[in-house]
Structure formats: C-alpha cells, structure tokens
Amino acid sequence: LVLLQESGGGSAQAGGSLRLSCTITGKPASTYCMAWFRQAPGKERERVAEIDTDNYTSYEEPVEGRFTISQDNDQKTIYLQMNNLKSEDTAMYYCGAGAEGSGGYCYKTELIGYWGQGTQVTVSS
C-alpha cells in the first residue's frame, strides 16, 4: 500500500514563503520520481517540479528560481520550498509518485501512479 500525505499549505502574502511537505508510505515503484503538481480553479493539474532517486530536479518555468524541491536521504519525505510567492501560485498543491513503468519520469499526470489528497496554497497580493 502506497500513501502520500501533504502538509504545510496555507496563506501567504505576495513575496512571502511557504514550505510544503509530503510523506510517503510504501514504495511506489522499482524506479520512481516524486513530483509536485498544482491545480487552480478551472484549470488542469500541472507539474510544478520533480525529483528522482538520484536527486535530479526539474522545474516548470513559472516557478524556476523561486521554488526548490528536495527530499530526505531516505526518500520518504519530499519538500517544496516556495519563495517570492505570487498570486498566480494560488492553487491546490498535490504530491505525486511515478507509476510502475513510467521510466522514472513525472512530467505529466498520466505518469503519476499515486497522489496525495492535496494542500491549499493561497497567495494574496
């Protein structure tokens, strides 16, 4: 059984910071990555950042240089440090783990085998 649990969402002023955490129970796949996605009202869920078991990271352009994804050495908790928040960062944020057979990629929702329940981030200007 694989479970993902997010925490750390909330409200912040524009320019402020928040840190999200995602704790993983179980092993998603033999080779997998972890990612943060977000979904704003009326929009599709989109990838924010991902990290693999070798600590390789990648980011979507709107958050590059402001957000940092990281993980504990045991790869049981991943984090998303969000700095210089903007109102357009307001969304529900989801933690996702790559599915078996995804080749260690997490860049789209179809590659995600497991999701957390989400945590709301609201940024006011």
Side-chain angles (χ1 to χ4, degrees):
L1 180 64
V2 178
L3 296 174
L4 281 64
Q5 179 70 52
E6 303 98 335
S7 61
S11 299
Q13 295 281 343
S17 299
L18 286 172
R19 190 192 197 203
L20 306 183
S21 299
C22 174
T23 301
I24 307 135
T25 302
K27 187 175 182 181
S30 55
T31 301
Y32 65 96
C33 61
M34 298 295 299
W36 288 98
F37 283 70
R38 66 186 180 186
Q39 188 168 18
K43 295 188 177 181
E44 293 190 353
R45 192 171 297 189
E46 62 178 8
R47 191 197 71 152
V48 174
E50 70 178 83
I51 186 167
D52 69 11
T53 51
D54 293 323
N55 281 322
Y56 170 81
T57 60
S58 63
Y59 300 87
E60 294 300 319
E61 188 275 335
V63 307
E64 185 107 45
R66 299 189 297 120
F67 290 11
T68 302
I69 188 171
S70 62
Q71 62 188 343
D72 284 350
N73 287 337
D74 62 3
Q75 297 168 346
K76 289 298 185 183
T77 304
I78 66 167
Y79 306 95
L80 187 68
Q81 178 66 43
M82 305 184 294
N83 297 330
N84 192 20
L85 284 162
K86 303 178 180 181
S87 58
E88 51 263 44
D89 295 321
T90 295
M92 185 72 79
Y93 283 70
Y94 296 90
C95 172
E100 189 73 53
S102 66
Y105 297 102
C106 287
Y107 59 85
K108 58 182 180 180
T109 58
E110 290 85 349
L111 296 173
I112 302 299
Y114 306 93
W115 293 101
Q117 84 289 347
T119 185
Q120 178 68 38
V121 170
T122 302
V123 183
S124 56
S125 56

